[in-house]
C-alpha cells in the first residue's frame, strides 16, 4: 500500500471516528486530503476506500440523521464502541515497544494530516471529538525528543538512505564530517542515538544525536542501505555506551554572593575585577551532562574554558529562550 493511500485511509478513519453524526460523501470529500476533484473519480476512489476499510475489519456504518433515519442524505460513520479493542494485556517489553512506536508516530506526516482533517470538519460545522478519536485509535501521539537531527535520521532509517552530517566528538572542540549508513535510532537513558555503518571508519558505530551539528544531508539514494541480518540495533547502542572520559577542569566565573550550588564544590575560588565576580575551577567529565546544570544558574555563571563546555552551555540557554518564545540570538 502506497504512503499516500495509507495517509488517506488513516484520515478517513479519524474523521469517521471523530464525528458525532453521519458524514455525507461530500463532507468526507472536503475534509479528507487526497481525494480527486472530479466527481466520477472521487466516487470510484471512495467506493474502493470503503471496501478496503471493510476488508480490514473497520466497522463502517451507513445511515442517516434525517427523521427516522429514512432521509435521502446517506452518510457514514464508525461507532467508537464497535471499533475499540477489548482489554489487551501486554508484557513490559511489548508495552515499551508500543509506546515508542506511538511517540514516533507524531513525527510522521500522517499526524499533521489527520489533525488537518479534523480542523476541516470543524470548519464545516461538523461536531467532532478528537480526544475520543485518538483514544479509539489506541495511541497517544507524543515524542519526547528535542534533538534537531531526530526527524531527518529517523526518516533516513525508514527510507534506507545514507546520510552525512557534522559531528563533535567527546572532548573535541571542532566538528568532523561523518558518512553513515543508518540502521536504527534508539533511546538509551534519556538520550537518542543513531546506529549504523560508518563509511569513514568501515565499522559499526553509534552516534549521539545531541552531538550532531547542523543539517543532516542525504548521501545516497533511498533503499541503498541494508541492515545486516541478525543485527540488534538496540543491543549495539546499549553495549556501546558513552566512552568513559577523564575528569577535566572548567574555569568559570561565579557572581559574588550567588551560584551557591557550584560554589560548594568549586576550588581555587578568588575574586576578580571590581568584586562583582569570582573566578573558580570546577571539575566535570561530560560537557552535555554538565551544561544543563550550569545553565540553571543563568547569568550568575559564565564559562570561560574549555570551549566545548562553553558552547554546550550557550546552546542550552538558547534552547531555553527559544522554548520561552524569546530571542536566543542575544546569548553569547
Amino acid at each position: 500500500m502506497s504512503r499516500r493511500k495509507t495517509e488517506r485511509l488513516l484520515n478517513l478513519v479519524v474523521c469517521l471516528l471523530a464525528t458525532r453524526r453521519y458524514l455525507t460523501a461530500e463532507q468526507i470529500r472536503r475534509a479528507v486530503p487526497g481525494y480527486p476533484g472530479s466527481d466520477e473519480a472521487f466516487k470510484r476512489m471512495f467506493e474502493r476506500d470503503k471496501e478496503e476499510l471493510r476488508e480490514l475489519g473497520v466497522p463502517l456504518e451507513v445511515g442517516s440523521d434525517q427523521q427516522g433515519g429514512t432521509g435521502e442524505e446517506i452518510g457514514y460513520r464508525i461507532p467508537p464502541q464497535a471499533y475499540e479493542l477489548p482489554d489487551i494485556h501486554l508484557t513490559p517489553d511489548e508495552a515499551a515497544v508500543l509506546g515508542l512506536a506511538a511517540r514516533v508516530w507524531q513525527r510522521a506526516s500522517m499526524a499533521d494530516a489527520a489533525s488537518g482533517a479534523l480542523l476541516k470538519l470543524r470548519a464545516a460545522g461538523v461536531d467532532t471529538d478528537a480526544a475520543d478519536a485518538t483514544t479509539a485509535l489506541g495511541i497517544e501521539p507524543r515524542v519526547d525528543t528535542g534533538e534537531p537531527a531526530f526527524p531527518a535520521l529517523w526518516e533516513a532509517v525508514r527510507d534506507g538512505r545514507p546520510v552525512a552530517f557534522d559531528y563533535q566528538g567527546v572532548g573535541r572542540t571542532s566538528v568532523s564530517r561523518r558518512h553513515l549508513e543508518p540502521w536504527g535510532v534508539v533511546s538509551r537513558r534519556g538520550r537518542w542515538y543513531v546506529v549504523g555503518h560508518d563509511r569513514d571508519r568501515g565499522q559499526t558505530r553509534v552516534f549521539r544525536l545531541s552531538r550532531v551539528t547542523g543539517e543532516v544531508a542525504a548521501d545516497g539514494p533511498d533503499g541503498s542501505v541494508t541492515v545486516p541480518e541478525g543485527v540488534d540495533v538496540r543491543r549495539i547502542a546499549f553495549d556501546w555506551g558513552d566512552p568513559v572520559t577523564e575528569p577535566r577542569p572548567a574555569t568559570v566565573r561565579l557572581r559574588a554572593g550567588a551560584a551557591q550550588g557550584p560554589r560548594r564544590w568549586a576550588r581555587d575560588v578568588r575574586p576578580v575585577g571590581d568584586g562583582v565576580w569570582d573566578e573558580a575551577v570546577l571539575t566535570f567529565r561530560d560537557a552535555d551532562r554538565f551544561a544543563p546544570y550550569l545553565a540553571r544558574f543563568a547569568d550568575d555563571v559564565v564559562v570561560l574554558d574549555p570551549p566545548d563546555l562553553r558552547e554546550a552551555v550557550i546552546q542550552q540557554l538558547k534552547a531555553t529562550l527559544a522554548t520561552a518564545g524569546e530571542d536566543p540570538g542575544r546569548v553569547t
Side-chain angles (χ1 to χ4, degrees), residues 184-238:
V185 178
V186 299
S187 176
R188 176 179 178 269
R189 296 180 181 175
R191 298 177 179 178
W192 288 90
Y193 301 85
V194 59
V195 180
H197 176 71
D198 186 342
R199 290 177 169 178
D200 303 297
R201 304 289 179 84
Q203 299 174 344
T204 299
R205 296 298 297 271
V206 180
F207 297 94
R208 193 197 300 180
L209 267 59
S210 63
R211 295 188 176 277
V212 175
T213 63
E215 299 292 328
V216 176
D219 195 37
D222 291 359
S224 59
V225 174
T226 301
V227 181
E229 186 175 353
V231 163
D232 187 338
V233 173
R234 188 173 178 82
R235 177 54 55 192
I236 293 173
F238 272 60

Side-chain angles (χ1 to χ4, degrees), residues 7-270:
E7 291 182 4
R8 188 178 70 249
L9 290 177
L10 175 63
N11 292 332
L12 180 57
V13 170
V14 170
C15 285
L16 296 179
L17 273 172
T19 182
R20 297 174 181 175
R21 60 184 176 87
Y22 292 99
L23 294 182
T24 66
E26 184 58 32
Q27 287 173 322
I28 293 172
R29 179 181 182 177
R30 292 197 301 265
V32 177
Y35 282 118
S38 165
D39 291 345
E40 287 301 318
F42 165 71
K43 289 179 181 178
R44 289 194 299 269
M45 184 177 289
F46 184 49
E47 288 299 321
R48 289 197 297 268
D49 286 352
K50 288 191 295 182
E51 289 304 314
E52 186 124 13
L53 290 182
R54 291 188 177 107
E55 290 176 2
L56 292 171
V58 177
L60 185 61
E61 185 178 276
V62 181
S64 171
D65 289 312
Q66 301 292 335
Q67 186 69 28
T70 58
E72 297 180 358
E73 198 74 344
I74 298 299
Y76 308 87
R77 70 179 182 184
I78 298 174
Q81 65 274 15
Y83 184 84
E84 293 173 353
L85 292 172
D87 291 340
I88 299 176
H89 300 286
L90 301 175
T91 67
D93 287 345
E94 291 169 338
V97 171
L98 185 59
L100 179 60
R103 291 195 297 272
V104 170
W105 182 76
Q106 188 187 36
R107 290 291 183 177
S109 61
M110 291 186 292
D112 292 335
S115 299
L118 293 178
L119 289 175
K120 289 182 180 180
L121 281 178
R122 297 189 191 105
V126 177
D127 291 333
T128 65
D129 194 335
D132 285 350
T134 54
T135 299
L137 284 172
I139 59 177
E140 182 183 357
R142 305 287 182 187
V143 62
D144 185 22
T145 176
E147 306 295 353
F150 180 90
L153 288 172
W154 183 83
E155 290 172 4
V157 170
R158 180 196 64 195
D159 299 334
R161 179 174 61 248
V163 293
F165 51 83
D166 291 331
Y167 190 76
Q168 185 171 7
V170 177
R172 298 183 181 273
T173 58
S174 61
V175 300
S176 60
R177 194 68 172 170
R178 313 308 293 264
H179 302 82
L180 183 72
E181 297 177 9
W183 298 339
V185 178
V186 299
S187 176
R188 176 179 178 269
R189 296 180 181 175
R191 298 177 179 178
W192 288 90
Y193 301 85
V194 59
V195 180
H197 176 71
D198 186 342
R199 290 177 169 178
D200 303 297
R201 304 289 179 84
Q203 299 174 344
T204 299
R205 296 298 297 271
V206 180
F207 297 94
R208 193 197 300 180
L209 267 59
S210 63
R211 295 188 176 277
V212 175
T213 63
E215 299 292 328
V216 176
D219 195 37
D222 291 359
S224 59
V225 174
T226 301
V227 181
E229 186 175 353
V231 163
D232 187 338
V233 173
R234 188 173 178 82
R235 177 54 55 192
I236 293 173
F238 272 60
D239 289 346
W240 176 80
D242 292 325
V244 177
T245 58
E246 294 298 320
R248 291 193 286 157
T251 303
V252 301
R253 285 195 173 179
L254 308 174
R255 191 177 298 277
Q260 298 304 320
R263 283 180 180 277
R264 281 197 292 269
W265 49 282
R267 58 184 174 86
D268 300 333
V269 181
R270 58 185 179 85

